[in-house]
Amino acid sequence: MVRRVAIIGAGVAGLASVKCCLDEGLEPTCFERSEDIGGVWRYTDSLDGGRVTVYRSIITNTSKEMSCFSDFPCPEDFPNYLPHSLLLEYYRMYAQHFGLLQHIHFKTTALSVKKHPDFATSGQWEVVTETDGIQESHVFDAVMVCTGRYQKPYLPLASFPGIDTRFKGQYLHSWEYKDAEAFRGKRVLVVGTGSTGGDLSVELSRVAAKVFLSARSSTWVYSRVSDHGFPVDMVNTTRFNHFLDWLLPSALLKRIRFWKFNSWFNHANYGLASTKSSYFKITLNEQLPFCLLSGTIVLKPNVKEFTESSAVFEDGTTEENIDVVLFATGYIFSFPFLEESVCSLSNDNRSLYKYIFPPQLEKPTLALIGLIQLTGSVMVGAEMQARWVTGIFAGQNKLPPTSRMMADVLKKSPVKRNPSERENLKISFISYIDEIASCAGVKPSVLRLFLTDPRLALAVFFGPCTPYQYRLMGRGKWSGAREAILTQWQRTLKPLRTRVVDDSSDGRRWMCLLALPVAVTVGFLLSKYPRLGWSPQASPQL
């Protein structure tokens, strides 16, 4: 019987895990090597002993309503996209509200996590920690590793001949970047067109003499602001759109998606992406197109090699007098405290059952939380993982036999790509959260809501798939979930109402009237076709 649970790390995944343990009546002990909560979102000016943190100017890519804890909405006066300082403030509010801090041991490093000698029968773990130079050994019934994805910078120097032998300038990984001042007046080459590479290129373009951005593959650029000014994830991440993704042929969906990307600007004209690309990634950045249009950023292909002061690209062009090369090439997993037999199973999240459990362990008492890369908020994914895992530890949920877990893992076997590309092999947000929610018994039944609460059903199916939906039913049901869903647009608009203008038109009433017949039709389809997964025969909630 699991009772005492060790939690490694007090970032967002660690906080959610502590709270979920308490909800299940377990006894969590969280070990955090730094002096505060927040993980990578706790910004510091120094490199702080190798701890990976965000840069000074970062703004979240997911909106507050789509990335909050499922039973603790973000304050309504907070902006929709948060700087690191406000996000950390929100985490502090969450920790204080649920009394989490008393379960966290700060400035305590987990040195090793090893199987107890009788692990095959007990499932227990020996955890050795160090605080102020003093080591201590503990025995826990289960361990939740919450150190996250951003642990060890991936710096592929071997892929860039000459960078560490001939090149006389400076090169560094983006985790060392804090702000742009140190690059004033310099010619900078940024390698990587993910979210970080795009953000840093834009910021550097304001102070650097010139910024070059090197792209290995096609990159589609998207704005965080939707066509009508709402957060784009609240508009796009809906169960209705998810239903269309399931219904329509993949080739047609791809064409629609490319058309939508190009409706903002033609990506081929900018050299960013082609509709013929077999592999591509998506980055959120409102300012990058204008910087390319104004020439403050120059897009280049992949680097072939470096000379003493220049970069030679695969198309044969050369850029001279490069002062700094900034690698925005992602991160790799690192679990130095796990014993080798377990660590080998955990170094690739796709070798884990549901991206959480090493399937070959004799006892399912080790879980890795927050290693997923979703099309939506990883914070929401980490909380849902923690809810399911703690339910298993408490005996409320069960894992399938090892053979079935291995078969599931093999179906999702990893594509051989380098870590910077794997960063962009994202999993569908709704698909994954629904999958884990089904395992935990907390997935909302859309059909039941249409039958019992039509107003809420419309908001759940056609509105944004906010985390509150997973508190409507099952274990951990929250009485405030319905109200949170019905008022989510009010919290979205609240921080914008700093200057009120008269607008008597009310489009929302017309939208509801137009949506009603569609909702009735969809409700009929959901009840008629079991393949949709929401019929009385297919839904465990009905």
Side-chain angles (χ1 to χ4, degrees):
M1 179 66 183
V2 170
R3 178 58 57 188
R4 302 183 66 239
V5 181
I7 297 169
I8 315 298
V12 60
L15 293 176
S17 296
V18 173
K19 198 266 186 179
C20 291
C21 281
L22 295 174
D23 288 347
E24 293 291 351
L26 305 176
E27 300 172 7
T29 302
C30 181
F31 301 110
E32 168 57 45
R33 65 172 179 165
S34 71
E35 68 275 9
D36 205 353
I37 64 171
V40 297
W41 286 100
R42 185 172 64 83
Y43 171 81
T44 55
D45 288 318
S46 67
L47 296 180
D48 196 13
R51 187 176 69 89
V52 174
T53 71
V54 295
Y55 40 94
R56 188 193 303 273
S57 62
I58 194 170
I59 302 289
T60 57
N61 277 340
T62 53
S63 63
K64 65 176 183 180
E65 291 296 311
M66 297 297 292
S67 53
C68 62
F69 295 105
S70 58
D71 55 356
F72 194 75
C74 235
E76 64 175 7
D77 58 337
F78 274 29
N80 285 283
Y81 292 102
L82 303 176
H84 60 79
S85 57
L86 283 182
L87 189 60
L88 183 59
E89 182 180 340
Y90 171 65
Y91 292 162
R92 294 194 198 285
M93 295 165 60
Y94 178 77
Q96 292 168 2
H97 180 79
F98 291 107
L100 308 183
L101 296 178
Q102 60 185 308
H103 301 279
I104 304 174
H105 296 235
F106 294 106
K107 296 185 179 180
T108 302
T109 302
L111 298 180
S112 69
V113 176
K114 297 180 180 179
K115 295 178 181 177
H116 195 270
D118 65 351
F119 178 83
T121 56
S122 70
Q124 291 184 325
W125 297 85
E126 291 182 349
V127 179
V128 177
T129 61
E130 182 177 80
T131 307
D132 296 329
I134 301 174
Q135 294 188 10
E136 186 176 357
S137 181
H138 320 259
V139 176
F140 288 95
D141 300 316
V143 176
M144 300 175 74
V145 178
C146 301
T147 51
R149 297 180 55 87
Y150 305 105
Q151 302 160 28
K152 186 177 180 181
Y154 174 63
L155 193 59
L157 300 183
S159 300
F160 301 93
I163 185 66
D164 55 348
T165 55
R166 297 192 296 270
F167 185 62
K168 301 299 184 183
Q170 178 189 6
Y171 68 87
L172 68 158
H173 190 274
S174 58
W175 83 274
E176 300 177 75
Y177 179 94
K178 295 299 178 181
D179 57 45
E181 191 56 38
F183 301 85
R184 183 173 295 277
K186 296 183 178 181
R187 290 169 61 84
V188 183
L189 169 63
V190 178
V191 178
T193 53
S195 295
T196 300
D199 284 352
L200 300 190
S201 296
V202 168
E203 182 164 291
L204 288 168
S205 69
R206 302 186 183 107
V207 299
K210 198 71 174 179
V211 175
F212 303 95
L213 178 59
S214 172
R216 178 191 293 269
S217 57
S218 288
T219 302
W220 295 96
V221 182
Y222 214 47
S223 173
R224 281 168 287 199
V225 184
S226 72
D227 292 342
H228 298 285
F230 292 107
V232 69
D233 54 355
M234 294 188 71
V235 174
N236 289 349
T237 310
T238 70
R239 293 189 178 277
F240 178 67
N241 287 342
H242 185 61
F243 171 72
L244 292 180
D245 287 345
W246 170 87
L247 186 66
L248 299 177
S250 58
L252 177 59
L253 281 173
K254 190 175 181 180
R255 291 184 64 181
I256 293 173
R257 192 169 289 121
F258 287 163
W259 171 83
K260 196 166 186 179
F261 290 149
N262 277 329
S263 66
W264 185 22
F265 68 94
N266 189 309
H267 284 62
N269 288 344
Y270 286 66
L272 281 164
S274 166
T275 57
K276 298 179 181 179
S277 303
S278 57
Y279 171 71
F280 60 89
K281 55 188 174 183
I282 300 170
T283 187
L284 292 167
N285 198 302
E286 299 76 37
Q287 301 173 67
L288 181 59
F290 178 75
C291 289
L292 293 171
L293 199 61
S294 63
T296 55
I297 296 176
V298 176
L299 192 67
K300 303 294 292 186
N302 194 40
V303 177
K304 179 180 179 180
E305 63 176 338
F306 287 93
T307 65
E308 287 190 357
S309 61
S310 62
V312 181
F313 298 91
E314 289 183 346
D315 63 352
T317 61
T318 301
E319 294 296 342
E320 304 284 351
N321 302 317
I322 300 296
D323 298 303
V324 183
V325 179
L326 181 59
F327 288 95
T329 44
Y331 297 81
I332 55 178
F333 303 150
S334 177
F335 308 104
F337 47 84
L338 287 179
E339 64 177 66
E340 182 60 32
S341 62
V342 178
C343 191
S344 61
L345 298 173
S346 309
N347 279 334
D348 193 314
N349 66 341
R350 291 171 185 256
S351 67
L352 304 172
Y353 180 63
K354 306 297 184 187
Y355 307 96
I356 302 171
F357 289 100
Q360 296 171 332
L361 288 178
E362 301 96 317
K363 297 287 184 179
T365 54
L366 175 70
L368 290 90
I369 307 297
L371 297 187
I372 43 170
Q373 185 76 354
L374 300 174
T375 55
S377 171
V378 176
M379 294 179 270
V380 176
E383 184 195 26
M384 182 56 67
Q385 289 179 330
R387 291 178 67 187
W388 180 42
V389 167
T390 53
I392 291 172
F393 289 166
Q396 301 297 329
N397 303 314
K398 290 186 178 181
L399 289 177
T402 301
S403 58
R404 283 179 54 192
M405 290 194 288
M406 290 300 300
D408 185 82
V409 168
L410 289 175
K411 282 198 307 183
K412 302 171 182 176
S413 57
V415 179
K416 297 297 182 181
R417 296 190 185 276
N418 65 57
S420 62
E421 291 179 328
R422 284 205 302 269
E423 185 80 5
N424 296 283
L425 294 175
K426 296 183 178 181
I427 308 165
S428 166
F429 175 80
I430 295 181
S431 293
Y432 183 77
I433 305 299
D434 272 1
E435 181 180 2
I436 302 303
S438 294
C439 294
V442 298
K443 178 185 172 184
S445 172
V446 179
L447 177 57
R448 173 183 288 181
L449 291 176
F450 271 119
L451 296 175
T452 60
D453 193 340
R455 182 188 177 198
L456 179 61
L458 286 172
V460 167
F461 191 71
F462 291 102
C465 186
T466 45
Y468 323 120
Q469 294 190 11
Y470 300 96
R471 292 284 182 177
L472 289 170
M473 53 191 63
R475 290 180 62 80
K477 179 180 178 180
W478 175 43
S479 60
R482 183 182 188 276
E483 181 67 17
I485 292 170
L486 296 178
T487 57
Q488 56 199 2
W489 288 111
Q490 295 176 26
R491 289 188 299 278
T492 302
L493 293 173
K494 173 67 174 180
L496 300 175
R497 302 298 194 191
T498 54
R499 178 177 179 268
V500 180
V501 296
D502 181 27
D503 185 4
S504 57
S505 64
D506 187 2
R508 287 175 295 177
R509 180 178 302 173
W510 287 103
M511 287 178 63
C512 289
L513 291 175
L514 291 172
L516 186 57
V518 179
V520 173
T521 304
V522 171
F524 171 77
L525 290 173
L526 294 179
S527 62
K528 187 172 180 61
Y529 296 104
R531 184 182 173 189
L532 302 185
W534 290 307
S535 69
Q537 294 80 12
S539 177
Q541 286 92 5
L542 291 175

